[in-house]
């Protein structure tokens, strides 16, 4: 039985065919539903895959429902395609700076946009193997393609069949948020769902929203040769991040040649003779911007509408499914994981939340809590910003007194050798102690570096433990250890410092 229409992808080449063959085989026939399932997982993205594989691995009878392509946003329209084209853009960034390293290029490097996008599709197709329908069925999971809808508190309908469940997980993810700009929908625009399907490079691209997605893709397209204008209504890019961290990235984007318009109010968008015009107001004056394409990157909307959550007694708001700290919804038999329920919208959080759900839904005993997690994140601009724990302003709001230690990368031998000294490691500790409460790192590969701090925070290791850990020389990670040195220095009271100075003076004579 198969009432759903298999998805199509542009371009219809062999790489996208491979992706579909794994993530939504065109000839797929849904299985006949079992009498009942221990666990039904709705949505085949990052969160769901963990839950389905984990549940089946434990011997539970599991059904997985996906309406589009397995792998969800991360594989198909998010992390994987974006990080792959970011890599191409990084190469261009390096080449633009080659002279600085004593390398002379005979001619300006040329971007082959078709090849860049094809490489992305190859990586995506190769990775789709891990999320393939065949892999799940091999593990004993019943995979259904179609849109899931609740029909009562313990039953779902998909593709004309009833799936009865003891427990269910809603993990239907999110999509690009629509913003009410007059004319935008009529004029047409790109989102993360369509931008990776481009086969022609836009000459001029406006990106609305300077959050992580907007900034990453702005730098990428700019470095690949598109003239990018980044429009943001706030006075700062990456508004969640500290101002000093965001400023380093902003400076880098400006050096790349991006036109950055902060504090703008977009009034309307219209199409005119094959181009798109954005009318906006900045500093009280009206302006008009002409571009070939517009990309919307101004936040995310949870996918809750089509699920008929009312029938299941599951409450939701415009921010998503309402869950408690154990990720249980208002129906005790239904949990939620990933973007649809959690404000930290990352693949690793979707994964971590699905692990919590699996434990809490399938096993009795003490429940795992989402609030116990230490969650890092990174924005993959060049340089990257990575963060974990509290920002200083959050510590203040919570009434936690902190000490802050910062090591700038121009003090790092490795960063100097690499010529990448713009950035820092900033760590907050509980006042008077070495307990780490938060950290921000700005560095070329900050996303790699933050895991050391996350490990320390997760396992209650303080700066003392970090400083006592040998770091290879020369590494940028050595700057994390140097933060520990700064902390150690503060432990020397003036009296001890004086005594030591006298003692060393005596040893010299
Ligand atoms: C451009 C971009 C770049 C990103 N980069 C990163 C990054 O570098 N690192 C990072 O950690 N995160 C990144 N993210 C975020 C990350 O992709 C998401 O946080 C993650 O995919 C969320 O996983 P999820 O399982 O909650 O949802 P998804 O992966 O979106 O999966 C939800 C699935 O549910 C399906 N579905 C929805 N409704 C129904 C229904 N009614 N019935 C059946 N199926 C349904 C959807 O088709 C989808 O496949 C990025 C996102 C974007 C857009």
């Amino acid at each position: 039985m198969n009432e759903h229409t298999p998805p199509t992808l542009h371009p219809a080449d062999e790489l996208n065919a491979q992706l579909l063959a794994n993530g939504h085989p065109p000839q797929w026939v849904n299985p006949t539903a079992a009498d009942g399932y221990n666990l039904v997982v709705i949505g085949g993205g990052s969160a769901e895959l963990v839950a389905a594989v984990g549940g089946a691995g434990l011997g539970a009878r599991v059904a997985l429902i996906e309406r589009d392509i397995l792998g969800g946003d991360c594989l198909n329209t998010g992390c994987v395609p974006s990080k792959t084209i970011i890599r191409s853009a990084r190469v261009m960034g390096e080449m633009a700076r080659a002279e600085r390293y004593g390398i002379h290029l005979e001619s300006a490097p040329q971007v082959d946009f078709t090849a860049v996008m094809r490489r992305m599709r190859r990586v995506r197709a190769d990775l789709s193997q891990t999320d393939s329908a065949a892999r799940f069925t091999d593990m004993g999971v019943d995979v259904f393609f179609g849109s899931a809808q609740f029909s009562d508190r313990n039953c779902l309908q998909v593709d004309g069949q009833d799936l009865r469940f003891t427990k269910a997980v809603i993990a239907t993810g999110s999509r690009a948020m629509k913003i009410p700009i007059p004319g935008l929908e009529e004029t047409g625009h790109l989102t993360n769902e369509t931008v990776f399907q481009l086969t022609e490079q836009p000459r001029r691209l406006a990106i609305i929203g300077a959050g992580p997605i907007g900034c990453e893709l702005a730098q990428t397209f700019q470095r690949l040769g598109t003239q990018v204008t980044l429009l943001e209504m706030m006075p700062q890019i990456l508004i969640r991040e500290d101002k000093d961290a965001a400023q380093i990235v902003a400076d880098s984007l400006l050096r790349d040649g991006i036109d950055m318009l902060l504090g703008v109010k977009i009034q309307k968008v219209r199409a005119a003779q094959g181009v798109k015009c954005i009318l906006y107001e900045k500093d009280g004056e009206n302006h008009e911007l002409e571009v070939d394409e517009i990309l919307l990157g101004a936040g995310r909307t949870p996918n809750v509408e089509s699920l008929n959550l009312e029938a299941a007694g599951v409450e939701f708001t415009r921010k998503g499914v309402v869950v408690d700290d154990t990720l249980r919804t208002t129906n005790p038999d239904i949990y939620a994981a990933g973007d649809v329920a959690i404000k930290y919208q990352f693949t690793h959080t979707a994964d971590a939340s699905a692990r919590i759900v699996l434990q809490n839904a399938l096993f009795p005993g003490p429940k795992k809590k989402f609030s116990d997690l230490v969650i890092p994140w990174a924005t993959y601009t060049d340089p990257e910003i990575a963060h974990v724990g509290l920002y200083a302003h959050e510590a203040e709001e919570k009434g936690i007194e902190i000490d802050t230690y910062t090591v700038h990368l121009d003090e790092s031998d490795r960063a100097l050798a690499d010529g990448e000294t713009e950035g820092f490691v900033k760590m907050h500790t509980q006042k008077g102690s070495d307990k780490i409460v938060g950290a921000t790192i700005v560095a070329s590969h900050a996303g790699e570096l933050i895991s050391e701090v996350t490990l320390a925070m997760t396992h209650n290791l303080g700066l003392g433990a970090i400083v006592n850990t040998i770091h290879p020389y020369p590494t940028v990670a050595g700057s994390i250890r140097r933060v520990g040195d700064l902390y150690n220095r503060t432990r020397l009271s003036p009296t001890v410092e004086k005594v030591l100075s006298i003692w060393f003076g005596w040893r010299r004579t």
Side-chain angles (χ1 to χ4, degrees):
M1 56 190 68
N2 235 16
E3 287 169 10
H4 67 275
T5 319
T8 51
L9 282 175
H10 181 76
D13 65 357
E14 79 286 5
L15 297 170
N16 276 341
Q18 187 185 335
L19 179 71
L20 289 174
N22 282 324
H24 192 143
Q27 307 305 330
W28 186 265
V29 177
N30 282 332
T32 303
D35 290 342
Y37 289 96
N38 297 103
L39 185 69
V40 172
V41 182
I42 313 162
S46 320
E48 305 79 323
L49 302 181
V50 172
V53 170
L58 293 166
R61 179 126 219 187
V62 179
L64 171 64
I65 309 168
E66 169 56 51
R67 69 176 174 193
D68 196 15
I69 306 173
L70 290 170
D73 260 3
C74 181
L75 174 69
N76 300 300
T77 55
C79 330
V80 171
S82 62
K83 265 75 260 180
T84 310
I85 63 170
I86 282 174
R87 184 68 187 95
S88 299
R90 273 237 178 189
V91 172
M92 284 302 287
E94 297 258 298
M95 290 182 122
R97 296 193 295 259
E99 295 271 334
R100 199 202 280 182
Y101 299 94
I103 311 291
H104 301 285
L105 301 172
E106 295 250 307
S107 56
Q110 299 299 309
V111 172
D112 180 346
F113 188 73
T114 307
V116 168
M117 297 304 265
R118 192 176 158 77
R119 174 177 176 273
M120 177 274 292
R121 292 198 298 280
R122 158 137 345 266
V123 171
R124 199 170 58 171
D126 286 348
L127 289 179
S128 67
Q129 189 76 32
T130 321
D131 297 339
S132 69
R135 183 167 161 252
F136 293 107
T137 51
D138 286 350
M139 288 175 183
V141 176
D142 280 355
V143 177
F144 293 85
F145 285 104
S147 197
Q149 274 203 340
F150 287 96
S151 50
D152 69 38
R153 294 179 70 85
N154 286 86
C155 189
L156 273 161
Q157 283 191 333
V158 61
D159 198 18
Q161 298 197 74
D162 282 342
L163 271 60
R164 297 212 71 80
F165 59 83
T166 311
K167 302 284 176 192
V169 188
I170 303 167
T172 46
S174 63
R175 60 185 186 277
M177 186 164 76
K178 284 194 175 186
I179 37 179
I181 300 173
L184 182 61
E185 290 308 311
E186 297 83 337
T187 308
H189 61 81
L190 300 167
T191 66
N192 67 297
E193 279 164 38
T194 45
V195 70
F196 302 113
Q197 303 201 13
L198 285 178
T199 45
E200 273 181 38
Q201 180 167 13
R203 201 164 57 82
R204 298 161 303 175
L205 173 68
I207 300 186
I208 300 178
I213 295 173
C215 287
E216 287 180 6
L217 291 179
Q219 190 173 46
T220 300
F221 274 90
Q222 180 71 29
R223 286 186 172 185
L224 293 177
T226 295
Q227 178 55 56
V228 174
T229 307
L230 188 56
L231 298 108
E232 168 60 56
M233 64 182 212
M234 303 301 282
Q236 175 193 310
I237 65 163
L238 300 171
I239 195 70
R240 191 194 244 176
E241 303 297 343
D242 285 342
K243 208 171 176 177
D244 51 359
Q247 191 56 51
I248 293 174
V249 174
D251 291 343
S252 172
L253 300 186
L254 288 170
R255 271 198 307 273
D256 284 327
I258 290 171
D259 288 330
M260 199 181 296
L261 301 174
L262 302 178
V264 297
K265 185 168 169 4
I266 300 177
Q267 290 157 328
K268 79 174 174 202
V269 173
R270 63 178 157 78
Q273 288 148 8
V275 298
K276 298 176 182 191
C277 294
I278 300 178
L279 287 86
Y280 66 91
E281 185 217 296
K282 183 167 163 55
D283 302 328
E285 285 181 25
N286 293 333
H287 304 266
E288 191 166 319
L289 169 71
E290 201 179 280
V291 290
D292 303 301
E293 278 294 357
I294 299 170
L295 171 67
L296 208 53
R300 310 284 299 165
T301 298
N303 292 326
V304 288
E305 296 80 7
S306 64
L307 289 164
N308 196 21
L309 291 172
E310 296 82 355
V314 172
E315 267 180 34
F316 63 97
T317 67
R318 61 179 185 83
K319 289 185 179 166
V321 172
V322 176
V323 286
D324 65 16
D325 203 13
T326 69
L327 302 181
R328 204 166 72 162
T329 69
T330 45
N331 175 337
D333 291 335
I334 302 178
Y335 287 74
D339 282 13
V340 76
I342 287 164
K343 75 168 184 171
Y344 304 96
Q345 294 180 317
F346 308 105
T347 292
H348 46 277
T349 337
D351 178 302
S353 59
R355 285 168 202 269
I356 290 183
V357 164
L358 202 57
Q359 164 82 28
N360 291 348
L362 296 184
F363 297 102
K367 300 293 178 200
K368 287 199 166 185
K369 290 185 182 161
F370 184 76
S371 58
D372 287 340
L373 297 180
V374 177
I375 301 171
W377 58 81
T379 298
Y380 298 92
T381 42
D382 180 15
E384 298 174 356
I385 300 186
H387 180 84
V388 63
L390 299 179
Y391 293 97
H393 70 89
E394 288 176 329
E396 196 183 329
E397 280 151 27
K398 286 175 185 279
I400 301 172
E401 282 193 82
I402 57 168
D403 292 316
T404 299
Y405 304 95
T406 306
V407 170
H408 291 274
L409 292 196
D410 56 9
E411 300 164 45
S412 157
D413 292 5
R414 180 54 187 270
L416 281 157
D418 284 345
E420 290 172 342
T421 51
E422 281 170 350
F424 55 75
V425 176
K426 175 163 54 173
M427 290 169 73
H428 308 298
T429 56
Q430 212 155 30
K431 195 156 197 63
S433 94
D434 76 337
K435 184 182 164 60
I436 305 162
V437 298
T440 296
I441 303 180
V442 184
S444 183
H445 292 286
E448 304 288 341
L449 300 175
I450 201 73
S451 292
E452 178 176 356
V453 187
T454 311
L455 179 84
M457 288 179 69
T458 305
H459 298 283
N460 272 319
L461 301 171
L463 280 180
I466 288 183
V467 84
N468 287 328
T469 304
I470 300 175
H471 290 61
Y473 175 86
T475 54
V476 179
S479 301
I480 300 175
R481 188 186 186 197
R482 292 202 54 207
V483 171
D485 286 332
L486 288 184
Y487 163 74
N488 270 351
R489 239 170 272 154
T490 63
R491 294 170 73 203
L492 292 179
S493 67
T495 321
V496 174
E497 237 175 312
K498 200 163 178 190
V499 170
L500 282 175
S501 149
I502 293 167
W503 189 72
F504 281 121
W506 174 75
R507 296 275 293 171
R508 277 199 296 272
T509 55

